[in-house]
Amino acid sequence: MPVVPAAHGAESPWDAPGQGNPLLPGYAADPSIVHWQGRWYVFTTLDPWGDDRLGLWQSDNGRDWTFSTPDWPTKAAATSPTSGDAKVWAPSVVQGRDGRWWMYVSVGSEVWVGTAPTPAGPWRDANGGKPLIPANFIPGYHMIDAEAFIDDDGQAYLYWGSGLNWVNGHCFVVRLNPDMISFDGQPRDVTPGHYFEAPFMMKTGGRYFLMYSDGNTIAGTYQVRYAVGESPLGPFTEAPDNPLLATNADKQIISPGHHAVFRSGGQTYILYHRQGLPFPPADAAVLRQVVVDRLDVDANGLLRRVIPSHDAPVAGFAPHRTVGLTWRAVGGGDGLHGPARAGDDNYATLWKPAPGEAAVLTADLGAVRPIKESRLLPEYPTHVYHFRVEASDDGRTWKRITPDQTGHGSPIIVSHPVRARYLRLVFTGEAALWEWSLF
């Protein structure tokens, strides 16, 4: 990781058009990222507060993402006599010395392990239908947030551990055997100062940087810290310039944490989640979004504090997302969730109809022109949406150009070759979009 000077610059607000963060169009958390054969794969927890499966986002350019859910793990498939009620959380995906891909994931407050020939799958359980680390493995602590690390010599290590009720987190580490599913020796407690959960190991300058999260994600105090050691097995001493990444209320960046680190275009980045906006009260659904920022080393070989951003400059990714034709929203009011939000190329802003308002989104392209398809990025890619597409030349007389549609995923692609100036989406039931792109 290169040493770089400090960088500062002006930045637009979180809800300005064209912002690059969040990176993914949806509510997701605890990201794990890999790059293989020219494609990016981001595995995530699905919000609110986990799901019965994981989310997988794939992209060839790092900007335009396609959503799916791997066949494994599921809450039903990864269960044991010691499992708790917790959902599927916190995947960590790495490639082993055998060339296969390995996933360590929290299900029911236990760590399970799966394997696949490619990051896209097919994934299957790798440990005979039982957890690698059961919930009662080390009593008094939460057996979640496992993170695998492959050292330069190919040796694999596994880190994990959290506390209970947002306190008393402990971090454990063990060396993995070449089979990636058995331990070489006994786990060690390597808990550094201010540790709560979400360990991530990175190596730079010949030293080992144990990074982790502290605080409470639903109280606005979540943050990333790190400690340094001479061995992947510790001991680790907390670095002096902590936290590495923390809430910036002025920017409305709340509770950043549970991260991964990756390289692209010769630069190192930190991928993490933060709270979706508007920040909810403590008893509301937990809705987080995945974002990316630079991670640099200072002249002393320590990590420079991360400046959390809304613009997501990532070398090696495409400069911009594919946004399609320019259009202007018609009707439906303005405000936090007004119709213009669906055409502003910003995954932090959401269109949804106000209570009592018709679930209709209208686009004016400025002139009659050919339009072959719509790409919808819905609020929840796992939900099912019902809608139709209508067209008009004058904004008054409308004709239906699709039958009733039932769609889920992200993007939802609808073919409708037509010449028109106006298009509108008419929803039946749930309606909410991050973006509506026309091509």
Side-chain angles (χ1 to χ4, degrees):
M1 186 185 298
V3 177
V4 299
H8 300 280
E11 187 181 6
S12 301
W14 69 274
D15 59 350
Q19 295 286 41
N21 270 329
L23 185 67
L24 305 178
Y27 300 121
D30 314 330
S32 180
I33 184 169
V34 300
H35 190 242
W36 186 69
Q37 294 189 353
R39 174 165 288 193
W40 294 96
Y41 300 81
V42 178
F43 298 81
T44 71
T45 300
L46 291 175
D47 272 347
W49 212 237
D51 193 273
D52 288 345
R53 59 223 142 149
L54 290 175
L56 171 57
W57 299 85
Q58 300 182 45
S59 175
D60 293 331
N61 64 6
R63 293 294 183 196
D64 301 305
W65 298 89
T66 299
F67 176 84
S68 62
T69 54
D71 290 338
W72 186 95
T74 65
K75 176 66 174 171
T79 188
S80 78
T82 53
S83 291
D85 293 335
K87 297 285 191 175
V88 182
W89 293 341
S92 170
V93 176
V94 296
Q95 189 173 30
R97 282 184 284 188
D98 58 1
R100 292 188 64 82
W101 293 86
W102 297 86
M103 179 194 296
Y104 303 86
V105 59
S106 303
V107 187
S109 297
E110 304 184 304
V111 175
W112 291 71
V113 56
T115 188
T118 76
W123 288 93
R124 63 171 179 81
D125 178 272
N127 195 38
K130 61 183 185 296
L132 179 65
I133 304 173
N136 59 1
F137 185 72
I138 303 176
Y141 305 105
H142 212 177
M143 299 294 103
I144 62 169
D145 290 358
E147 187 70 40
F149 166 69
I150 311 294
D151 207 348
D152 297 337
D153 60 2
Q155 176 62 54
Y157 300 83
L158 192 66
Y159 302 79
W160 75 94
S162 180
L164 301 172
N165 300 317
W166 302 108
V167 295
N168 197 33
H170 273 240
C171 181
F172 306 97
V173 60
V174 72
R175 193 192 320 261
L176 291 175
N177 284 316
D179 64 7
M180 300 293 282
I181 57 173
S182 61
F183 295 169
D184 178 7
Q186 293 299 311
R188 302 186 188 188
D189 187 330
V190 292
T191 306
H194 301 95
Y195 176 94
F196 179 66
E197 65 183 9
F200 188 94
M201 173 56 65
M202 63 173 285
K203 186 178 183 181
T204 184
R207 295 189 295 174
Y208 296 86
F209 290 63
L210 177 60
M211 309 169 73
Y212 47 93
S213 295
D214 186 31
N216 184 334
T217 189
I218 59 177
T221 59
Y222 213 49
Q223 58 184 239
V224 176
R225 305 179 74 92
Y226 77 103
V228 184
E230 301 300 320
S231 160
L233 297 173
F236 297 100
T237 302
E238 193 172 18
D241 193 20
N242 269 301
L244 180 68
L245 173 63
T247 288
N248 186 321
D250 290 341
K251 290 185 176 182
Q252 300 193 57
I253 293 171
I254 311 296
S255 278
H258 202 130
H259 72 288
V261 174
F262 71 100
R263 287 185 64 80
S264 177
Q267 171 66 43
T268 303
Y269 295 91
I270 181 170
L271 186 75
Y272 59 97
H273 72 239
R274 63 194 190 200
Q275 288 286 343
L277 291 171
F279 185 59
D283 59 349
V286 177
L287 299 174
R288 297 161 291 182
Q289 295 185 294
V290 171
V291 298
V292 61
D293 280 302
R294 286 175 59 124
L295 180 64
D296 296 309
V297 174
D298 68 17
N300 298 314
L302 298 176
L303 300 181
R304 189 182 300 282
R305 282 192 175 181
V306 176
I307 301 173
S309 74
H310 299 300
D311 55 5
V314 185
F317 281 14
H320 305 286
R321 294 184 281 254
T322 304
V323 297
L325 302 171
T326 300
W327 59 271
R328 181 179 63 87
V330 177
D334 224 349
L336 185 64
H337 297 304
R341 299 299 200 182
D344 63 357
D345 186 28
N346 184 337
Y347 295 164
T349 59
L350 182 73
W351 165 77
K352 58 183 177 182
E357 182 180 76
V360 177
L361 179 62
T362 303
D364 177 2
L365 287 92
V368 174
R369 62 183 63 211
I371 313 160
K372 66 177 183 178
E373 70 180 26
S374 290
R375 299 180 193 176
L376 312 182
L377 304 183
E379 181 179 21
Y380 295 97
T382 55
H383 291 194
V384 176
Y385 296 84
H386 303 277
F387 60 94
R388 65 181 184 270
V389 186
E390 298 178 347
S392 173
D393 290 341
D394 58 12
R396 295 185 298 274
T397 303
W398 294 87
K399 63 178 180 179
R400 181 184 295 214
I401 59 172
T402 70
D404 290 343
Q405 302 286 304
T406 299
H408 64 90
S410 182
I412 300 171
I413 300 176
V414 182
S415 176
H416 48 63
V418 70
R419 288 184 59 85
R421 173 174 173 173
Y422 299 90
L423 250 61
R424 69 183 183 189
L425 298 169
V426 181
F427 285 86
T428 303
E430 184 176 0
L433 296 176
W434 300 110
E435 291 295 317
W436 177 20
S437 298
L438 297 168
F439 295 88

